[in-house]
Amino acid sequence: MWDSESESVTGRDYGNGILSSSKHGVKTDGFEQRDHSWYVATDIPSDFLVQVGDVNFHLHKYPLLSRSGKMNRLIYESRDLDLNKVALDDLPGGPKAFELAAKFCYGIAVDLTAANISGLRCAAEYLEMTEDLEEGNLIFKTEAFLSYVVLSSWRDSILVLKSSEKLSPWAENLQIVRRCSESIAWKACSNPKGIRWAYTGKPPTVSSPRWQEKKDSSPSRNSQVPPDWWFEDVSILRIDHFVRVITAIKVKGMRFELIGAAIVHYAGKWLPGLIQDGGGFIDEASNSSNSNSNSSSGGLSWKGGLHMIVAGTKDDTPTVQAKDQRMIIESLISIIPPQKDSVSCSFLLRLLRMANMLKVAPALVTELEKRVGMQFEQATLADLLIPSYNKNETLFDVDLVQRLLEHFLVQEQTESSSPRRQAFSDKTMYDGTRRSANTSSKMRVARLVDSYLTEVSRDRNLSLTKFQVLAEALPESARTCDDGLYRAIDSYLKAHPSLSEHERKRLCRVMDCQKLSIDACMHAAQNERLPLRVVVQVLFSEQVKISNSLANNTLKESSEAQYQPMISNRKTLLEGTPQSFQEGWATAKKDINTLKFELETVKAKYLELQNDMDNLQRKFDKMTNKKQTSAWTTGWKKLSKFTKMTNLENNEIGSQVAAPEEQTTKTPGRWRNSIS
């Protein structure tokens, strides 16, 4: 049982929590406090003064010498044999811890609690109260209380870890932080039965089950324990101790989603601007309550402890609160699980916004940017609008978005080039699913980038090169429609009216006119800001689209006519076609019918001319002497005959010209008989 009604440390022996010494040289009824000084309630006058901070303790040498090795050295190794005063300004735990240690030396019962055990344990180590001087000395008893009472309780483990924040590096060297962190991690990863909820003063909420008042303090059987039951308790710890707990929880094998959710919960508690508005603009007054709570508990400015924070390069001297927030952000970046969806992309981008504002270490910022690149398709436009904190630059950090996009493309390429090991039967299905997912993610990113370009293009300090590089970063396959890119280009042209003709052409080169919709083409055709060459390209591409649509519709109608009635299909097609397209299609059909009529007219005139030629040929034959026909004339006639036959074979005519065909086929027969 980790925490129950019997776990209240007040009134426990050791384990009740009452420490007393059976032997003492000075009989006393206790300690008395007068102003900032403590006196022993005894008839024997004090002969030794101990100063701890601004508090004076009027004590006796013998009780201290019998149990404190440090006091022995200070007194007997001193050259002054009449030494009656000593200052212990660096004693861990301060006056409160020394008061308890002094009472133990006098044999007064000491009440051990989770709130004072860590300070008393460090003070005993400082005063060297070991077993060499007396059996059952303070080090032994406090160590036993920690091991057998505190570490078996969820509540006491967190309270001891919280109280150890002011005891660095003593608590670290004595393994108090490590043991409490591992105890908390073990309990967080185990069944939470028997743990008391909301001991920190948090009122019971819907997410926390109501415990029944039983001897074992176990939850009711019908109540469902949420997986985040330990978030609130762990979030009260200082950042270095929170990092130790999360690291221990990772080792125990907790799910990465829960670890990420705990990190987000901690960030929301210590960095409220990160979650509430995402602005990240934190000043002296915006978080005064939080800073006050920090100062009351020792704040985040500590010496010793966990030295894992990398100092960032900074030009100006930040405030104490800014340093604390930078330290929290750097630590949180270091412990985010490496899995892709451990935390949301929105949280990462807001963390990145604050990291840039507070000038976090560049190495950690780069790591955070890579994490954002892994989930870039989940980002929103509001999260990407990160201000630029460099002077004389653009309003928004366009270079940062460019780096995020590069990390995304590198990640996509890495995933596509190194598929997971799967069975041969599943490989084809997996590859198809992966390609589809990659394509859809790139399309989402393309829409996001187009929206971002539209937003930042209104900034007059945005250079054409930055706009072009960001617009061309994605491959052409990522955009099936360039309407969003056209809006961004038009917005940039509005905000930069002084661009030259060459710069306008260069800007419009990032757009594919063939990927514009009909509405975008109509707008572009009337857009005076676009170069004339681009307008011509838009009109030409639209004409090609209309021609292709007409051809496709004609083929579709002919194929559908073989299987189903054409009237209903045409009606459905016309109902789903825009009015402007219907009018253009009707005009094109009229032109095609006119061309067909003209072609038939030309064919009829050609046949009439052919008949006239045949009549002239027959008249010429009659006027010529048949006997004096030369070989040249015969050859010429044969050639003329062959020419007529070829023309008749190549030009098929309708039923209305069937009679002239018969006439032309009979005439050569008669002519051939007359020659023979």
Side-chain angles (χ1 to χ4, degrees), residues 607-623 644 663-664 667 670:
L607 291 175
E608 292 178 0
L609 292 174
Q610 187 67 35
N611 292 331
D612 294 341
M613 179 180 176
D614 292 339
N615 294 330
L616 291 174
Q617 182 65 36
R618 286 193 296 272
K619 291 180 182 180
F620 179 78
D621 292 339
K622 291 180 181 179
M623 294 174 61
K644 289 190 291 180
Q663 185 177 359
T664 53
T667 303
R670 293 194 301 271

Side-chain angles (χ1 to χ4, degrees), residues 33-38 54-57:
Q33 184 177 13
R34 304 170 192 169
D35 296 333
H36 291 284
S37 300
W38 284 91
D54 57 349
V55 180
N56 297 326
F57 292 86

Side-chain angles (χ1 to χ4, degrees), residues 590-655:
K590 290 181 180 179
D591 295 339
I592 292 174
N593 293 332
T594 303
L595 291 175
K596 287 182 179 180
F597 178 75
E598 292 178 354
L599 180 61
E600 295 297 334
T601 304
V602 170
K603 286 182 179 180
K605 290 183 178 180
Y606 175 78
L607 291 175
E608 292 178 0
L609 292 174
Q610 187 67 35
N611 292 331
D612 294 341
M613 179 180 176
D614 292 339
N615 294 330
L616 291 174
Q617 182 65 36
R618 286 193 296 272
K619 291 180 182 180
F620 179 78
D621 292 339
K622 291 180 181 179
M623 294 174 61
T624 307
N625 189 2
K626 297 179 180 179
K627 294 182 180 181
Q628 295 180 356
T629 303
S630 61
W632 182 87
T633 305
T634 305
W636 182 85
K637 291 180 180 179
K638 290 181 180 181
L639 181 60
S640 177
K641 173 185 174 183
F642 177 75
T643 302
K644 289 190 291 180
M645 294 295 295
T646 303
N647 291 334
L648 289 174
E649 289 177 358
N650 292 336
N651 295 291
E652 296 179 357
I653 58 176
S655 58

